[in-house]
Amino acid sequence: SKLDETLIVGEKRIELGTSDYGDVVCGHGYKWMTSFQQSLFPEWIFSVEKITLKKTIAMVHGANTTLISYEVIDADCSFEMELLPLVAYRGYHELKKQDNFIHREGVFKEHTLAINAYE
C-alpha cells in the first residue's frame, strides 16, 4: 500500500512522493523534503512554493489502521492537496488475485478518509 500526494498551486502540480524501484526513481518529492525525524512517530517536513507542510504517520496498536496527518506550518499562497491511495488489502508476504468482494469506496468526513475493505 502507498499514498501518492500532490500539491496543486494554481496550475502547477507538485508531487511529494518518491518511489525507488532499484534502477528507476519515480517522483521527486525528496527534493522538497527539508527534514525528517523519528521520535514517537515519523515526521517529514516539506517546503515548496512558499508552503511548509508537516506529514506524520502513526499506526494503531492492535488494529489494522494507519493514520496520516498533515499540518500546514506556513503557506503564503492557497493550494489544494490531492491524495491518491493505493491499498493492497493483503499481508506483505501474501499474493492475492482479484477479489470482487472488496468494498472499493471510501468515506471522507470531517477531514478523515476511511476505507473499510470488508464488513
Side-chain angles (χ1 to χ4, degrees):
S1 299
K2 73 178 270 181
L3 180 66
D4 286 333
E5 306 141 322
T6 304
L7 293 181
I8 304 169
V9 183
E11 299 293 318
K12 194 171 192 178
R13 298 176 59 82
I14 305 154
E15 294 183 17
L16 297 182
T18 304
S19 296
D20 184 350
Y21 296 109
D23 295 338
V24 176
V25 174
C26 292
H28 300 286
Y30 65 90
K31 292 180 180 180
W32 317 123
M33 187 172 61
T34 58
S35 72
F36 171 81
Q37 73 173 19
Q38 185 174 348
S39 50
L40 182 57
F41 303 113
E43 296 178 348
W44 293 259
I45 304 289
F46 296 93
S47 291
V48 60
E49 295 288 322
K50 299 182 181 180
I51 299 165
T52 303
L53 187 71
K54 178 169 84 169
K55 173 184 173 181
T56 306
I57 297 180
M59 297 179 75
V60 178
H61 181 72
N64 191 11
T65 302
T66 302
L67 305 169
I68 304 172
S69 170
Y70 299 92
E71 178 184 344
V72 178
I73 295 172
D74 190 29
D76 289 349
C77 60
S78 62
F79 69 94
E80 293 182 21
M81 189 165 187
E82 180 181 273
L83 303 174
L84 180 62
L86 171 62
V87 185
Y89 296 121
R90 63 174 176 82
Y92 63 94
H93 288 300
E94 299 173 20
L95 295 176
K96 189 158 187 143
K97 294 186 178 185
Q98 182 174 339
D99 184 347
N100 292 324
F101 299 104
I102 289 178
H103 299 153
R104 290 174 169 79
E105 294 78 28
V107 176
F108 192 76
K109 183 178 178 183
E110 297 179 15
H111 305 289
T112 301
L113 173 64
I115 302 172
N116 292 317
Y118 301 100
E119 293 295 328

